[in-house]
Amino acid sequence: MNTKVWKVDKYVDNLENNPQVVDAAHFLQENEVVALPTETVYGLGGNAKSDVAVEKIFAAKGRPSDNPLIIHIADKHQLSAFVAEVPKNAERLMERFWPGPLTIIFKKRDGVLSEKATAGLESVAVRMPDHPVALALLKKCQLPIAAPSANSSGKPSPTNAQHVLDDLNGKIAGVLDGGSTGVGVESTVLDCTEEIPVILRPGGVTKEQLENVIGEVHLDAALIDEASKPKAPGMKYQHYAPNAPLYLVNGSTSFLQGLIEEKQNAGLRVGVLATEESVEDYQADVSVACGRRDELESVATKLYETLRAFNQEKVDVIFSETFSNTGVGHAIMNRLQKAAGNKMINE
Ligand code: AMP
Ligand code: MG
């Protein structure tokens, strides 16, 4: 399949009638799949009502079929077609965080969405992305769009159109290239079917921000204790992994430098994921500053791009600094732990 690339300037007016967006919307209506920029990462969109379209999403990504997709909408009025009940606290969260990086899980109304999109569950995950191109496309096609991240399953999520093509060129109808994404890590997934909502996946909206709006919020047990079974089916899979083994290092820069030298002495090409504050402290073969430690949002923005960069550099092993588990640091550490398959070295 020839994958089209539609370049589109997210700042122009009347995006809904931009010829690139109109063309992409047409493909969605024909049950083809197209990648689109959102404020978190690039998504791979398809008509959520169509088994055919949803099957194409799973096939292109190589995604396990038990892992349900997030449904994207442009207007809250779309919810009532496939959501059975909108609780009060969800209402307040939508008011505050939509459009934005918050996915809310609701009880599902049967018979509208493809069962494959929700992996047969009785609940459905929904969000409204905060990106002008995504919103224009959703409005134009007039469909609820199922969209997981537009990467091959298991790889780091794409934060620009080239990342999408690196993984999916020839496997999808097209990609709307709206430039680099901003937040860099995926949405927070919040289960609002429980009396006290539960974070199933940390992301762009922090626990602290949620609690400021609705009071107490719980964390899924699997986010606290590795041995627990995660409630979000996707959280049990290894994800975000670069090609080389990745180790997270809890310790000083000199301790981490010692690990680098040990591997170099064994003849390996070593990468280090550091921050702008510390990158000069290391003599690795490939040293990458992934944002600023005193501004964790910048680390989130660059995280997947950095993990992908190590693949280009063909390193044999990667060591990464660790981050505090607060604010967006929670999402960063969650993704790094998954990327590392939980390999952690303590000083
Ligand atoms: P991705 O599409 O890669 O951004 O991942 C979406 C995440 O949301 C995965 O971890 C899914 O398992 C999770 N998810 C989607 N729908 C549901 C649902 N109805 N209940 C629980 N988790 C869900
Ligand atoms: Mg993903």
Side-chain angles (χ1 to χ4, degrees), residues 41 61 63 66-70 103 105-106 117-118 121-125 147-149 151 157 186-187 189 191 200-201 231-236 239-240:
V41 302
K61 282 181 61 84
R63 180 173 172 113
D66 73 341
N67 190 3
L69 306 178
I70 295 171
T103 294
I105 296 184
F106 299 98
T118 53
L121 297 179
E122 285 174 5
S123 58
V124 57
S149 49
N151 51 284
S157 300
E186 297 83 345
S187 59
V189 177
D191 185 355
L200 305 187
R201 176 176 77 181
K231 188 163 179 204
M235 294 293 282
K236 66 179 177 288
H239 204 329
Y240 319 110

PDB file of all heavy atoms in Angstrom, residues 41 61 63 66-70 103 105-106 117-118 121-125 147-149 151 157 186-187 189 191 200-201 231-236 239-240, ligand 1:
ATOM      1  N   VAL A  41       0.804  12.198  21.495  1.00  0.00           N
ATOM      2  CA  VAL A  41       1.648  11.499  20.512  1.00  0.00           C
ATOM      3  C   VAL A  41       0.809  11.358  19.230  1.00  0.00           C
ATOM      4  O   VAL A  41      -0.369  11.705  19.230  1.00  0.00           O
ATOM      5  CB  VAL A  41       2.085  10.091  21.020  1.00  0.00           C
ATOM      6  CG1 VAL A  41       2.835  10.206  22.343  1.00  0.00           C
ATOM      7  CG2 VAL A  41       0.904   9.135  21.158  1.00  0.00           C
ATOM      8  N   LYS A  61      -0.455  -2.257  13.505  1.00  0.00           N
ATOM      9  CA  LYS A  61       0.402  -2.130  14.687  1.00  0.00           C
ATOM     10  C   LYS A  61       0.949  -3.458  15.185  1.00  0.00           C
ATOM     11  O   LYS A  61       1.911  -3.490  15.941  1.00  0.00           O
ATOM     12  CB  LYS A  61      -0.402  -1.512  15.853  1.00  0.00           C
ATOM     13  CG  LYS A  61      -0.609  -0.032  15.785  1.00  0.00           C
ATOM     14  CD  LYS A  61      -1.399   0.446  17.005  1.00  0.00           C
ATOM     15  CE  LYS A  61      -0.703   0.189  18.331  1.00  0.00           C
ATOM     16  NZ  LYS A  61       0.275   1.174  18.741  1.00  0.00           N
ATOM     17  N   ARG A  63      -0.925  -5.173  17.189  1.00  0.00           N
ATOM     18  CA  ARG A  63      -1.353  -5.001  18.588  1.00  0.00           C
ATOM     19  C   ARG A  63      -2.167  -6.209  19.038  1.00  0.00           C
ATOM     20  O   ARG A  63      -3.048  -6.678  18.295  1.00  0.00           O
ATOM     21  CB  ARG A  63      -2.192  -3.732  18.683  1.00  0.00           C
ATOM     22  CG  ARG A  63      -2.734  -3.373  20.072  1.00  0.00           C
ATOM     23  CD  ARG A  63      -3.386  -2.017  19.973  1.00  0.00           C
ATOM     24  NE  ARG A  63      -4.118  -1.578  21.129  1.00  0.00           N
ATOM     25  CZ  ARG A  63      -3.759  -0.537  21.897  1.00  0.00           C
ATOM     26  NH1 ARG A  63      -2.647   0.106  21.665  1.00  0.00           N
ATOM     27  NH2 ARG A  63      -4.527  -0.145  22.900  1.00  0.00           N
ATOM     28  N   ASP A  66      -6.624  -8.186  22.663  1.00  0.00           N
ATOM     29  CA  ASP A  66      -7.296  -7.993  23.956  1.00  0.00           C
ATOM     30  C   ASP A  66      -7.031  -6.600  24.530  1.00  0.00           C
ATOM     31  O   ASP A  66      -7.412  -6.311  25.657  1.00  0.00           O
ATOM     32  CB  ASP A  66      -6.847  -9.063  24.967  1.00  0.00           C
ATOM     33  CG  ASP A  66      -5.420  -8.835  25.458  1.00  0.00           C
ATOM     34  OD1 ASP A  66      -4.663  -8.100  24.786  1.00  0.00           O
ATOM     35  OD2 ASP A  66      -5.067  -9.391  26.516  1.00  0.00           O
ATOM     36  N   ASN A  67      -6.366  -5.749  23.753  1.00  0.00           N
ATOM     37  CA  ASN A  67      -6.009  -4.427  24.264  1.00  0.00           C
ATOM     38  C   ASN A  67      -6.904  -3.359  23.632  1.00  0.00           C
ATOM     39  O   ASN A  67      -6.697  -2.958  22.493  1.00  0.00           O
ATOM     40  CB  ASN A  67      -4.528  -4.159  23.944  1.00  0.00           C
ATOM     41  CG  ASN A  67      -4.014  -2.914  24.654  1.00  0.00           C
ATOM     42  OD1 ASN A  67      -4.730  -2.283  25.423  1.00  0.00           O
ATOM     43  ND2 ASN A  67      -2.765  -2.559  24.374  1.00  0.00           N
ATOM     44  N   PRO A  68      -7.925  -2.880  24.385  1.00  0.00           N
ATOM     45  CA  PRO A  68      -8.922  -1.979  23.795  1.00  0.00           C
ATOM     46  C   PRO A  68      -8.344  -0.626  23.410  1.00  0.00           C
ATOM     47  O   PRO A  68      -7.306  -0.203  23.922  1.00  0.00           O
ATOM     48  CB  PRO A  68      -9.946  -1.815  24.918  1.00  0.00           C
ATOM     49  CG  PRO A  68      -9.209  -2.128  26.172  1.00  0.00           C
ATOM     50  CD  PRO A  68      -8.160  -3.120  25.819  1.00  0.00           C
ATOM     51  N   LEU A  69      -9.066   0.055  22.497  1.00  0.00           N
ATOM     52  CA  LEU A  69      -8.599   1.331  21.949  1.00  0.00           C
ATOM     53  C   LEU A  69      -9.322   2.499  22.602  1.00  0.00           C
ATOM     54  O   LEU A  69     -10.461   2.349  23.072  1.00  0.00           O
ATOM     55  CB  LEU A  69      -8.871   1.350  20.441  1.00  0.00           C
ATOM     56  CG  LEU A  69      -8.315   0.169  19.657  1.00  0.00           C
ATOM     57  CD1 LEU A  69      -8.706   0.286  18.184  1.00  0.00           C
ATOM     58  CD2 LEU A  69      -6.799   0.092  19.813  1.00  0.00           C
ATOM     59  N   ILE A  70      -8.682   3.651  22.584  1.00  0.00           N
ATOM     60  CA  ILE A  70      -9.326   4.869  23.072  1.00  0.00           C
ATOM     61  C   ILE A  70     -10.126   5.485  21.918  1.00  0.00           C
ATOM     62  O   ILE A  70      -9.640   5.588  20.795  1.00  0.00           O
ATOM     63  CB  ILE A  70      -8.269   5.864  23.605  1.00  0.00           C
ATOM     64  CG1 ILE A  70      -7.571   5.271  24.845  1.00  0.00           C
ATOM     65  CG2 ILE A  70      -8.918   7.207  23.942  1.00  0.00           C
ATOM     66  CD1 ILE A  70      -6.367   6.058  25.327  1.00  0.00           C
ATOM     67  N   THR A 103      -8.026  10.640  29.364  1.00  0.00           N
ATOM     68  CA  THR A 103      -8.966   9.641  28.840  1.00  0.00           C
ATOM     69  C   THR A 103      -9.838   9.181  29.993  1.00  0.00           C
ATOM     70  O   THR A 103      -9.331   8.849  31.067  1.00  0.00           O
ATOM     71  CB  THR A 103      -8.186   8.439  28.261  1.00  0.00           C
ATOM     72  OG1 THR A 103      -7.464   8.890  27.119  1.00  0.00           O
ATOM     73  CG2 THR A 103      -9.122   7.307  27.865  1.00  0.00           C
ATOM     74  N   ILE A 105     -12.819   6.526  31.357  1.00  0.00           N
ATOM     75  CA  ILE A 105     -13.517   5.257  31.101  1.00  0.00           C
ATOM     76  C   ILE A 105     -14.932   5.331  31.665  1.00  0.00           C
ATOM     77  O   ILE A 105     -15.129   5.658  32.837  1.00  0.00           O
ATOM     78  CB  ILE A 105     -12.730   4.078  31.696  1.00  0.00           C
ATOM     79  CG1 ILE A 105     -11.390   4.003  30.959  1.00  0.00           C
ATOM     80  CG2 ILE A 105     -13.512   2.765  31.568  1.00  0.00           C
ATOM     81  CD1 ILE A 105     -10.532   2.868  31.340  1.00  0.00           C
ATOM     82  N   PHE A 106     -15.886   5.053  30.780  1.00  0.00           N
ATOM     83  CA  PHE A 106     -17.317   5.099  31.105  1.00  0.00           C
ATOM     84  C   PHE A 106     -17.925   3.708  30.933  1.00  0.00           C
ATOM     85  O   PHE A 106     -17.349   2.856  30.252  1.00  0.00           O
ATOM     86  CB  PHE A 106     -18.065   6.012  30.129  1.00  0.00           C
ATOM     87  CG  PHE A 106     -17.629   7.444  30.109  1.00  0.00           C
ATOM     88  CD1 PHE A 106     -16.746   7.900  29.139  1.00  0.00           C
ATOM     89  CD2 PHE A 106     -18.123   8.352  31.042  1.00  0.00           C
ATOM     90  CE1 PHE A 106     -16.363   9.237  29.092  1.00  0.00           C
ATOM     91  CE2 PHE A 106     -17.741   9.690  30.997  1.00  0.00           C
ATOM     92  CZ  PHE A 106     -16.857  10.135  30.026  1.00  0.00           C
ATOM     93  N   ALA A 117     -13.124  -2.762  18.992  1.00  0.00           N
ATOM     94  CA  ALA A 117     -12.485  -1.533  19.489  1.00  0.00           C
ATOM     95  C   ALA A 117     -12.403  -1.561  21.010  1.00  0.00           C
ATOM     96  O   ALA A 117     -11.450  -1.066  21.600  1.00  0.00           O
ATOM     97  CB  ALA A 117     -13.252  -0.311  19.015  1.00  0.00           C
ATOM     98  N   THR A 118     -13.423  -2.126  21.651  1.00  0.00           N
ATOM     99  CA  THR A 118     -13.445  -2.159  23.116  1.00  0.00           C
ATOM    100  C   THR A 118     -13.012  -3.519  23.649  1.00  0.00           C
ATOM    101  O   THR A 118     -13.138  -3.779  24.843  1.00  0.00           O
ATOM    102  CB  THR A 118     -14.852  -1.815  23.648  1.00  0.00           C
ATOM    103  OG1 THR A 118     -15.801  -2.677  23.015  1.00  0.00           O
ATOM    104  CG2 THR A 118     -15.227  -0.374  23.361  1.00  0.00           C
ATOM    105  N   LEU A 121     -15.148  -5.423  26.152  1.00  0.00           N
ATOM    106  CA  LEU A 121     -15.405  -4.989  27.532  1.00  0.00           C
ATOM    107  C   LEU A 121     -16.755  -4.282  27.630  1.00  0.00           C
ATOM    108  O   LEU A 121     -17.322  -3.850  26.618  1.00  0.00           O
ATOM    109  CB  LEU A 121     -14.307  -4.022  28.003  1.00  0.00           C
ATOM    110  CG  LEU A 121     -12.890  -4.571  28.092  1.00  0.00           C
ATOM    111  CD1 LEU A 121     -11.925  -3.476  28.549  1.00  0.00           C
ATOM    112  CD2 LEU A 121     -12.834  -5.743  29.065  1.00  0.00           C
ATOM    113  N   GLU A 122     -17.247  -4.126  28.865  1.00  0.00           N
ATOM    114  CA  GLU A 122     -18.511  -3.408  29.064  1.00  0.00           C
ATOM    115  C   GLU A 122     -18.294  -1.928  29.300  1.00  0.00           C
ATOM    116  O   GLU A 122     -19.227  -1.178  29.534  1.00  0.00           O
ATOM    117  CB  GLU A 122     -19.279  -4.041  30.217  1.00  0.00           C
ATOM    118  CG  GLU A 122     -19.876  -5.350  29.761  1.00  0.00           C
ATOM    119  CD  GLU A 122     -20.533  -6.136  30.859  1.00  0.00           C
ATOM    120  OE1 GLU A 122     -20.621  -5.614  31.996  1.00  0.00           O
ATOM    121  OE2 GLU A 122     -20.953  -7.265  30.564  1.00  0.00           O
ATOM    122  N   SER A 123     -17.026  -1.537  29.233  1.00  0.00           N
ATOM    123  CA  SER A 123     -16.698  -0.117  29.410  1.00  0.00           C
ATOM    124  C   SER A 123     -16.025   0.395  28.145  1.00  0.00           C
ATOM    125  O   SER A 123     -15.624  -0.379  27.273  1.00  0.00           O
ATOM    126  CB  SER A 123     -15.764   0.047  30.609  1.00  0.00           C
ATOM    127  OG  SER A 123     -14.604  -0.728  30.412  1.00  0.00           O
ATOM    128  N   VAL A 124     -15.919   1.734  28.068  1.00  0.00           N
ATOM    129  CA  VAL A 124     -15.285   2.327  26.890  1.00  0.00           C
ATOM    130  C   VAL A 124     -14.438   3.527  27.325  1.00  0.00           C
ATOM    131  O   VAL A 124     -14.833   4.294  28.198  1.00  0.00           O
ATOM    132  CB  VAL A 124     -16.346   2.728  25.836  1.00  0.00           C
ATOM    133  CG1 VAL A 124     -17.388   3.689  26.410  1.00  0.00           C
ATOM    134  CG2 VAL A 124     -15.694   3.339  24.603  1.00  0.00           C
ATOM    135  N   ALA A 125     -13.257   3.648  26.722  1.00  0.00           N
ATOM    136  CA  ALA A 125     -12.333   4.742  27.043  1.00  0.00           C
ATOM    137  C   ALA A 125     -12.483   5.836  25.988  1.00  0.00           C
ATOM    138  O   ALA A 125     -12.473   5.553  24.792  1.00  0.00           O
ATOM    139  CB  ALA A 125     -10.901   4.212  27.049  1.00  0.00           C
ATOM    140  N   ALA A 147      -8.285   5.333  18.214  1.00  0.00           N
ATOM    141  CA  ALA A 147      -6.897   5.665  17.852  1.00  0.00           C
ATOM    142  C   ALA A 147      -5.918   5.321  18.963  1.00  0.00           C
ATOM    143  O   ALA A 147      -5.847   6.023  19.971  1.00  0.00           O
ATOM    144  CB  ALA A 147      -6.779   7.148  17.498  1.00  0.00           C
ATOM    145  N   PRO A 148      -5.161   4.235  18.787  1.00  0.00           N
ATOM    146  CA  PRO A 148      -4.025   3.983  19.676  1.00  0.00           C
ATOM    147  C   PRO A 148      -2.822   4.766  19.149  1.00  0.00           C
ATOM    148  O   PRO A 148      -2.919   5.427  18.097  1.00  0.00           O
ATOM    149  CB  PRO A 148      -3.790   2.480  19.507  1.00  0.00           C
ATOM    150  CG  PRO A 148      -4.191   2.220  18.086  1.00  0.00           C
ATOM    151  CD  PRO A 148      -5.301   3.196  17.768  1.00  0.00           C
ATOM    152  N   SER A 149      -1.708   4.711  19.833  1.00  0.00           N
ATOM    153  CA  SER A 149      -0.512   5.390  19.329  1.00  0.00           C
ATOM    154  C   SER A 149      -0.090   4.735  18.008  1.00  0.00           C
ATOM    155  O   SER A 149      -0.229   3.525  17.826  1.00  0.00           O
ATOM    156  CB  SER A 149       0.600   5.299  20.366  1.00  0.00           C
ATOM    157  OG  SER A 149       0.748   3.975  20.820  1.00  0.00           O
ATOM    158  N   ASN A 151       2.450   3.585  16.446  1.00  0.00           N
ATOM    159  CA  ASN A 151       3.739   2.902  16.380  1.00  0.00           C
ATOM    160  C   ASN A 151       3.500   1.409  16.214  1.00  0.00           C
ATOM    161  O   ASN A 151       2.391   0.930  16.450  1.00  0.00           O
ATOM    162  CB  ASN A 151       4.511   3.135  17.685  1.00  0.00           C
ATOM    163  CG  ASN A 151       3.665   2.819  18.900  1.00  0.00           C
ATOM    164  OD1 ASN A 151       2.783   3.598  19.271  1.00  0.00           O
ATOM    165  ND2 ASN A 151       3.903   1.658  19.500  1.00  0.00           N
ATOM    166  N   SER A 157       6.277   5.337  21.387  1.00  0.00           N
ATOM    167  CA  SER A 157       5.215   6.032  20.650  1.00  0.00           C
ATOM    168  C   SER A 157       5.809   7.124  19.761  1.00  0.00           C
ATOM    169  O   SER A 157       6.848   7.686  20.081  1.00  0.00           O
ATOM    170  CB  SER A 157       4.222   6.638  21.639  1.00  0.00           C
ATOM    171  OG  SER A 157       3.670   5.612  22.421  1.00  0.00           O
ATOM    172  N   GLU A 186       1.582   9.775  26.607  1.00  0.00           N
ATOM    173  CA  GLU A 186       0.173   9.580  26.309  1.00  0.00           C
ATOM    174  C   GLU A 186      -0.721  10.159  27.410  1.00  0.00           C
ATOM    175  O   GLU A 186      -0.250  10.547  28.468  1.00  0.00           O
ATOM    176  CB  GLU A 186      -0.151   8.084  26.144  1.00  0.00           C
ATOM    177  CG  GLU A 186       0.546   7.414  24.993  1.00  0.00           C
ATOM    178  CD  GLU A 186       1.962   6.968  25.319  1.00  0.00           C
ATOM    179  OE1 GLU A 186       2.511   7.423  26.343  1.00  0.00           O
ATOM    180  OE2 GLU A 186       2.514   6.177  24.543  1.00  0.00           O
ATOM    181  N   SER A 187      -2.024  10.106  27.109  1.00  0.00           N
ATOM    182  CA  SER A 187      -3.008  10.630  28.060  1.00  0.00           C
ATOM    183  C   SER A 187      -3.030   9.820  29.354  1.00  0.00           C
ATOM    184  O   SER A 187      -2.667   8.648  29.386  1.00  0.00           O
ATOM    185  CB  SER A 187      -4.401  10.573  27.416  1.00  0.00           C
ATOM    186  OG  SER A 187      -4.732   9.239  27.062  1.00  0.00           O
ATOM    187  N   VAL A 189      -5.128   7.719  31.818  1.00  0.00           N
ATOM    188  CA  VAL A 189      -6.358   6.925  31.694  1.00  0.00           C
ATOM    189  C   VAL A 189      -6.996   6.817  33.079  1.00  0.00           C
ATOM    190  O   VAL A 189      -6.383   6.287  34.019  1.00  0.00           O
ATOM    191  CB  VAL A 189      -6.078   5.514  31.125  1.00  0.00           C
ATOM    192  CG1 VAL A 189      -7.368   4.691  31.076  1.00  0.00           C
ATOM    193  CG2 VAL A 189      -5.470   5.614  29.722  1.00  0.00           C
ATOM    194  N   ASP A 191     -10.376   5.654  35.292  1.00  0.00           N
ATOM    195  CA  ASP A 191     -11.592   4.838  35.317  1.00  0.00           C
ATOM    196  C   ASP A 191     -12.644   5.528  36.174  1.00  0.00           C
ATOM    197  O   ASP A 191     -12.523   5.568  37.407  1.00  0.00           O
ATOM    198  CB  ASP A 191     -11.250   3.451  35.883  1.00  0.00           C
ATOM    199  CG  ASP A 191     -12.430   2.518  35.828  1.00  0.00           C
ATOM    200  OD1 ASP A 191     -13.540   2.967  35.452  1.00  0.00           O
ATOM    201  OD2 ASP A 191     -12.268   1.330  36.170  1.00  0.00           O
ATOM    202  N   LEU A 200      -5.545   4.380  35.799  1.00  0.00           N
ATOM    203  CA  LEU A 200      -5.027   3.100  35.300  1.00  0.00           C
ATOM    204  C   LEU A 200      -3.684   3.293  34.600  1.00  0.00           C
ATOM    205  O   LEU A 200      -2.874   2.380  34.526  1.00  0.00           O
ATOM    206  CB  LEU A 200      -6.011   2.464  34.312  1.00  0.00           C
ATOM    207  CG  LEU A 200      -7.445   2.259  34.810  1.00  0.00           C
ATOM    208  CD1 LEU A 200      -8.242   1.464  33.775  1.00  0.00           C
ATOM    209  CD2 LEU A 200      -7.476   1.556  36.159  1.00  0.00           C
ATOM    210  N   ARG A 201      -3.499   4.482  34.043  1.00  0.00           N
ATOM    211  CA  ARG A 201      -2.223   4.806  33.391  1.00  0.00           C
ATOM    212  C   ARG A 201      -1.902   6.265  33.680  1.00  0.00           C
ATOM    213  O   ARG A 201      -2.704   7.132  33.353  1.00  0.00           O
ATOM    214  CB  ARG A 201      -2.326   4.596  31.871  1.00  0.00           C
ATOM    215  CG  ARG A 201      -1.051   5.024  31.135  1.00  0.00           C
ATOM    216  CD  ARG A 201      -1.126   4.736  29.648  1.00  0.00           C
ATOM    217  NE  ARG A 201      -1.956   5.708  28.938  1.00  0.00           N
ATOM    218  CZ  ARG A 201      -2.196   5.661  27.629  1.00  0.00           C
ATOM    219  NH1 ARG A 201      -1.694   4.685  26.890  1.00  0.00           N
ATOM    220  NH2 ARG A 201      -2.950   6.579  27.053  1.00  0.00           N
ATOM    221  N   LYS A 231      -5.620  -3.106  35.633  1.00  0.00           N
ATOM    222  CA  LYS A 231      -6.992  -3.118  35.146  1.00  0.00           C
ATOM    223  C   LYS A 231      -7.065  -2.702  33.670  1.00  0.00           C
ATOM    224  O   LYS A 231      -7.964  -3.116  32.952  1.00  0.00           O
ATOM    225  CB  LYS A 231      -7.866  -2.203  36.011  1.00  0.00           C
ATOM    226  CG  LYS A 231      -9.321  -2.347  35.659  1.00  0.00           C
ATOM    227  CD  LYS A 231     -10.270  -1.802  36.694  1.00  0.00           C
ATOM    228  CE  LYS A 231     -11.703  -1.984  36.195  1.00  0.00           C
ATOM    229  NZ  LYS A 231     -12.615  -1.041  36.818  1.00  0.00           N
ATOM    230  N   ALA A 232      -6.129  -1.872  33.207  1.00  0.00           N
ATOM    231  CA  ALA A 232      -6.073  -1.545  31.770  1.00  0.00           C
ATOM    232  C   ALA A 232      -5.309  -2.675  31.082  1.00  0.00           C
ATOM    233  O   ALA A 232      -4.132  -2.888  31.366  1.00  0.00           O
ATOM    234  CB  ALA A 232      -5.365  -0.218  31.547  1.00  0.00           C
ATOM    235  N   PRO A 233      -5.984  -3.410  30.193  1.00  0.00           N
ATOM    236  CA  PRO A 233      -5.336  -4.586  29.608  1.00  0.00           C
ATOM    237  C   PRO A 233      -3.958  -4.272  28.994  1.00  0.00           C
ATOM    238  O   PRO A 233      -3.042  -5.085  29.064  1.00  0.00           O
ATOM    239  CB  PRO A 233      -6.330  -5.024  28.523  1.00  0.00           C
ATOM    240  CG  PRO A 233      -7.648  -4.529  29.002  1.00  0.00           C
ATOM    241  CD  PRO A 233      -7.372  -3.245  29.717  1.00  0.00           C
ATOM    242  N   GLY A 234      -3.820  -3.063  28.415  1.00  0.00           N
ATOM    243  CA  GLY A 234      -2.572  -2.723  27.728  1.00  0.00           C
ATOM    244  C   GLY A 234      -1.384  -2.557  28.657  1.00  0.00           C
ATOM    245  O   GLY A 234      -0.233  -2.616  28.225  1.00  0.00           O
ATOM    246  N   MET A 235      -1.646  -2.329  29.946  1.00  0.00           N
ATOM    247  CA  MET A 235      -0.547  -2.017  30.865  1.00  0.00           C
ATOM    248  C   MET A 235       0.281  -3.245  31.225  1.00  0.00           C
ATOM    249  O   MET A 235       1.308  -3.134  31.885  1.00  0.00           O
ATOM    250  CB  MET A 235      -1.099  -1.350  32.134  1.00  0.00           C
ATOM    251  CG  MET A 235      -1.700   0.011  31.883  1.00  0.00           C
ATOM    252  SD  MET A 235      -0.473   1.248  31.394  1.00  0.00           S
ATOM    253  CE  MET A 235       0.254   1.640  32.999  1.00  0.00           C
ATOM    254  N   LYS A 236      -0.186  -4.444  30.813  1.00  0.00           N
ATOM    255  CA  LYS A 236       0.599  -5.618  31.170  1.00  0.00           C
ATOM    256  C   LYS A 236       1.701  -5.893  30.134  1.00  0.00           C
ATOM    257  O   LYS A 236       2.581  -6.691  30.360  1.00  0.00           O
ATOM    258  CB  LYS A 236      -0.295  -6.852  31.338  1.00  0.00           C
ATOM    259  CG  LYS A 236      -0.965  -7.328  30.060  1.00  0.00           C
ATOM    260  CD  LYS A 236      -1.793  -8.572  30.354  1.00  0.00           C
ATOM    261  CE  LYS A 236      -2.558  -9.083  29.153  1.00  0.00           C
ATOM    262  NZ  LYS A 236      -3.699  -8.245  28.763  1.00  0.00           N
ATOM    263  N   HIS A 239       6.467  -2.210  26.550  1.00  0.00           N
ATOM    264  CA  HIS A 239       6.081  -1.143  25.646  1.00  0.00           C
ATOM    265  C   HIS A 239       7.244  -0.180  25.590  1.00  0.00           C
ATOM    266  O   HIS A 239       8.105  -0.211  26.467  1.00  0.00           O
ATOM    267  CB  HIS A 239       4.850  -0.479  26.270  1.00  0.00           C
ATOM    268  CG  HIS A 239       3.975   0.228  25.273  1.00  0.00           C
ATOM    269  ND1 HIS A 239       4.440   0.805  24.135  1.00  0.00           N
ATOM    270  CD2 HIS A 239       2.636   0.467  25.273  1.00  0.00           C
ATOM    271  CE1 HIS A 239       3.432   1.360  23.479  1.00  0.00           C
ATOM    272  NE2 HIS A 239       2.331   1.172  24.142  1.00  0.00           N
ATOM    273  N   TYR A 240       7.276   0.648  24.562  1.00  0.00           N
ATOM    274  CA  TYR A 240       8.217   1.763  24.499  1.00  0.00           C
ATOM    275  C   TYR A 240       9.675   1.326  24.419  1.00  0.00           C
ATOM    276  O   TYR A 240      10.580   2.117  24.634  1.00  0.00           O
ATOM    277  CB  TYR A 240       8.072   2.703  25.717  1.00  0.00           C
ATOM    278  CG  TYR A 240       6.650   2.964  26.130  1.00  0.00           C
ATOM    279  CD1 TYR A 240       6.130   2.459  27.313  1.00  0.00           C
ATOM    280  CD2 TYR A 240       5.814   3.700  25.297  1.00  0.00           C
ATOM    281  CE1 TYR A 240       4.816   2.696  27.675  1.00  0.00           C
ATOM    282  CE2 TYR A 240       4.506   3.943  25.654  1.00  0.00           C
ATOM    283  CZ  TYR A 240       4.013   3.433  26.834  1.00  0.00           C
ATOM    284  OH  TYR A 240       2.724   3.664  27.193  1.00  0.00           O
TER     285      TYR A 240
HETATM  286  P1  AMP B   1      -2.933   3.286  23.724  1.00  0.00           P
HETATM  287  O1  AMP B   1      -4.049   3.053  22.779  1.00  0.00           O
HETATM  288  O2  AMP B   1      -1.675   2.591  23.349  1.00  0.00           O
HETATM  289  O3  AMP B   1      -2.741   4.726  24.085  1.00  0.00           O
HETATM  290  O4  AMP B   1      -3.411   2.598  25.083  1.00  0.00           O
HETATM  291  C1  AMP B   1      -4.694   2.788  25.620  1.00  0.00           C
HETATM  292  C2  AMP B   1      -4.704   2.238  27.019  1.00  0.00           C
HETATM  293  O5  AMP B   1      -6.025   2.354  27.570  1.00  0.00           O
HETATM  294  C3  AMP B   1      -4.327   0.764  27.070  1.00  0.00           C
HETATM  295  O6  AMP B   1      -3.523   0.508  28.199  1.00  0.00           O
HETATM  296  C4  AMP B   1      -5.698   0.110  27.175  1.00  0.00           C
HETATM  297  O7  AMP B   1      -5.622  -1.182  27.739  1.00  0.00           O
HETATM  298  C5  AMP B   1      -6.456   1.086  28.035  1.00  0.00           C
HETATM  299  N1  AMP B   1      -7.922   0.982  27.877  1.00  0.00           N
HETATM  300  C6  AMP B   1      -8.654   1.277  26.768  1.00  0.00           C
HETATM  301  N2  AMP B   1      -9.963   1.017  26.984  1.00  0.00           N
HETATM  302  C7  AMP B   1     -10.083   0.537  28.254  1.00  0.00           C
HETATM  303  C8  AMP B   1     -11.170   0.092  29.062  1.00  0.00           C
HETATM  304  N3  AMP B   1     -12.433   0.084  28.606  1.00  0.00           N
HETATM  305  N4  AMP B   1     -10.899  -0.340  30.315  1.00  0.00           N
HETATM  306  C9  AMP B   1      -9.620  -0.327  30.783  1.00  0.00           C
HETATM  307  N5  AMP B   1      -8.544   0.093  30.067  1.00  0.00           N
HETATM  308  C10 AMP B   1      -8.766   0.523  28.821  1.00  0.00           C
END
